Amino acid sequence: MLIMKGFLAVLSFAAAVYYSGGFGSAAYKRPPPRETLFRPLLDALEDDDGTSPQQVHISLSGENNMRISWITSDSSPDVVYYGTSPGANTRSANGTIDRYDYLTYVSGEIHNVIIGPLTPDTVYYYRCGWISSTEFNFKTPPSQFPIKFAIIGDLGQTGWTNSTLQHISKSNYDILVLPGDLSYADFIQRLWDTFGRLVQPLASNRPWMVTQGNHEIEEIPILHSESFTSYNARWVMPYKESNSSSNLYYSFEVAGVHVVMLGSYTDFEPGSDQYRWVQADLNMVDRRKTPWLIVVVHAPWYNSNEAHQGESESVDMKKALEDLIYGARVDAVFAGHVHAYERFVRVYKDKADACGPVYITIGDGGNREGLASKYMDPQPKISAFREASFGHGQFEIFNATHGLWTWHRNDDDISVASDQIWLKSLASISACHDITA
Ligand code: FE
Ligand code: MN
């Protein structure tokens, strides 16, 4: 026992030394990873009566509609009852039911119902499956500025994830954007269910718009040759609504912001479906209607962390798409994958460029793999701020010209605003107009 204790002490000392490396705020001692939470799984086994909705989450579906997604272990109706006051479910809508198989695992019934048209900036109350089931509520996003995004990548389901989610839930955000690596189920499908239960309190209450990371691929040669099976079944995004042929890339518009969600792990070369879709989608953007243009992708195109250097999903995708993104005057590109925070100045082709996007890596949600603490030295001039700590981002856009980006570090379990910058939309900078694609 004593030997064990001594061993653990050495281990935690080593971890403390390891995690205190890196740059950013030197005074803060970076914490080790936390364990995956198994409580949601125990809850699931204890209170699952088979037909009660679980893993409820919502997402935008076109301009004034909301998609309601939930799972039941057994068969239950694909209907949502809803209205604008508690208990008054004056409207209802039907949807679709899906299931998927993965090795020996068979998913529950996955329900998807689109409701609307809905009034902007309004609280709706809703019940899934049965008029008698638990009532949830959400607020629709505003139709005009201001609007607030919570942005967090590489979330996982650990004690750190919990801490991050608590901070986000206090931020009064309108929409959550997740640049990939959701559950870290990594082939164990039950962990998709526990993740769904962990995020339900937030994801049933505000739209969660996600794109996928490498942890969503879950392809096994011969045994399960299809990629993204679980992700595509559980996290259906408005791809049809944005004329995309794949759930792996899509766009949405909300309150003067056009958001393009890309897929790092599907074809992106010129001539590919994704490339052609991005080109068409960016061409349709009307900056008078949506002065802000944001791109979200899993693998970062700019990164001065030692983690994930030189990977094709970063290097080749940047090569394929950077000109399109720059030409369209994208304001900001958010990525995950690297488990740390980094913000670049406006760049194009590795050089500071006043008309290029601000690139931000926000892969620090709290997954079980821990932080990416080693940085390239010296810090490149175009890297404005970098730090390996858990945390999340908030992007509050006040009007057509000004937005405030804040990175909140989980200082142990307290949220501390640690990096903050005002951004001006490129649509409002006339010097950047003439080169607009
Ligand atoms: Fe990750
Ligand atoms: Mn990743």
Side-chain angles (χ1 to χ4, degrees):
M1 193 59 198
L2 221 95
I3 295 169
M4 191 62 191
K5 267 189 185 163
F7 178 61
L8 284 176
V10 169
L11 254 188
S12 57
F13 176 70
V17 169
Y18 179 71
Y19 282 102
S20 64
F23 299 81
S25 86
Y28 181 65
K29 198 169 258 175
R30 281 146 201 88
R34 288 179 178 173
E35 293 297 315
T36 294
L37 298 168
F38 287 102
R39 189 64 226 166
L41 179 59
L42 297 175
D43 289 346
L45 295 172
E46 273 166 26
D47 32 83
D48 186 9
D49 61 8
T51 56
S52 288
Q54 47 165 300
Q55 308 176 50
V56 181
H57 65 91
I58 64 170
S59 49
L60 301 176
S61 166
E63 221 154 314
N64 294 307
N65 298 327
M66 198 71 82
R67 174 186 295 273
I68 316 287
S69 309
W70 75 96
I71 298 183
T72 51
S73 306
D74 302 332
S75 274
S76 71
D78 57 334
V79 59
V80 169
Y81 303 95
Y82 66 104
T84 50
S85 46
N89 305 286
T90 49
R91 292 158 77 182
S92 72
N94 288 83
T96 57
I97 294 175
D98 190 19
R99 272 183 193 274
Y100 75 92
D101 296 342
Y102 190 95
L103 306 180
T104 59
Y105 174 92
V106 181
S107 78
E109 261 189 4
I110 302 171
H111 304 258
N112 277 283
V113 175
I114 292 169
I115 63 172
L118 308 172
T119 311
D121 214 5
T122 300
V123 175
Y124 283 85
Y125 299 83
Y126 66 104
R127 296 166 194 267
C128 304
W130 317 92
I131 195 94
S132 58
S133 74
T134 308
E135 188 170 74
F136 293 90
N137 67 78
F138 64 77
K139 189 181 79 64
T140 52
S143 59
Q144 294 169 7
F145 299 118
I147 182 162
K148 190 173 193 175
F149 292 85
I151 308 183
I152 185 58
D154 304 74
L155 193 51
Q157 41 189 321
T158 72
W160 284 117
T161 312
N162 235 353
S163 177
T164 303
L165 290 178
Q166 277 169 28
H167 301 158
I168 291 173
S169 70
K170 288 178 198 140
S171 73
N172 196 29
Y173 69 100
D174 296 298
I175 296 180
L176 186 136
V177 166
L178 204 169
D181 281 0
L182 282 70
S183 71
Y184 289 76
D186 298 328
F187 315 106
I188 302 163
Q189 298 301 302
R190 275 278 163 220
L191 290 177
W192 275 106
D193 293 313
T194 59
F195 178 78
R197 295 178 77 95
L198 179 67
V199 302
Q200 175 180 288
L202 278 78
S204 62
N205 187 245
R206 291 288 187 280
W208 275 40
M209 309 307 288
V210 304
T211 188
Q212 71 291 156
N214 50 306
H215 285 270
E216 275 70 65
I217 301 173
E218 297 188 309
E219 177 199 342
I220 309 174
I222 303 164
L223 294 176
H224 189 93
S225 57
E226 186 188 67
S227 330
F228 303 109
T229 304
S230 180
Y231 173 79
N232 280 337
R234 293 167 184 267
W235 291 85
V236 182
M237 290 292 124
Y239 69 98
K240 287 178 187 155
E241 296 87 328
S242 49
N243 297 314
S244 161
S245 59
S246 167
N247 190 45
L248 303 178
Y249 43 88
Y250 66 96
S251 66
F252 63 94
E253 283 192 350
V254 61
V257 189
H258 186 96
V259 185
V260 180
M261 308 288 282
L262 298 180
S264 296
Y265 302 91
T266 183
D267 289 345
F268 47 69
E269 299 294 343
S272 66
D273 279 352
Q274 179 169 212
Y275 185 96
R276 284 198 305 251
W277 174 81
V278 179
Q279 202 167 26
D281 192 72
L282 290 174
N283 272 335
M284 276 174 14
V285 174
D286 177 356
R287 296 300 274 269
R288 286 162 301 185
K289 187 177 170 229
T290 56
W292 290 87
L293 179 52
I294 291 171
V295 166
V296 180
V297 65
H298 185 61
W301 301 353
Y302 286 91
N303 166 30
S304 78
N305 194 295
E306 283 187 12
H308 299 302
Q309 284 297 333
E311 291 177 351
S312 164
E313 57 264 43
S314 292
V315 178
D316 294 336
M317 195 179 198
K318 177 188 176 195
K319 214 175 278 172
L321 290 171
E322 187 175 19
D323 282 347
L324 276 186
I325 299 300
Y326 177 75
R329 291 292 171 269
V330 168
D331 291 296
V333 178
F334 293 98
H337 203 35
V338 173
H339 299 162
Y341 171 70
E342 183 163 21
R343 173 174 57 81
F344 286 81
V345 298
R346 294 194 173 281
V347 286
Y348 175 54
K349 293 206 160 144
D350 300 289
K351 289 203 181 88
D353 187 309
C355 301
V358 169
Y359 285 83
I360 291 173
T361 304
I362 184 84
D364 53 345
N367 69 82
R368 62 178 169 73
E369 293 176 340
L371 294 165
S373 302
K374 289 187 184 159
Y375 283 100
M376 287 159 52
D377 192 18
Q379 183 166 9
K381 280 210 173 70
I382 54 171
S383 167
F385 189 105
R386 56 186 194 175
E387 185 178 319
S389 298
F390 295 110
H392 78 277
Q394 292 175 20
F395 192 24
E396 189 165 15
I397 302 179
F398 291 95
N399 50 42
T401 59
H402 285 79
L404 181 64
W405 165 257
T406 313
W407 176 59
H408 294 255
R409 182 177 69 208
N410 298 352
D411 224 338
D412 294 320
D413 284 313
I414 297 157
S415 176
V416 178
S418 304
D419 180 36
Q420 192 166 63
I421 186 172
W422 282 97
L423 295 181
K424 240 189 134 199
S425 70
L426 293 181
S428 69
I429 299 174
S430 54
C432 296
H433 286 183
D434 50 330
I435 346 173
T436 299

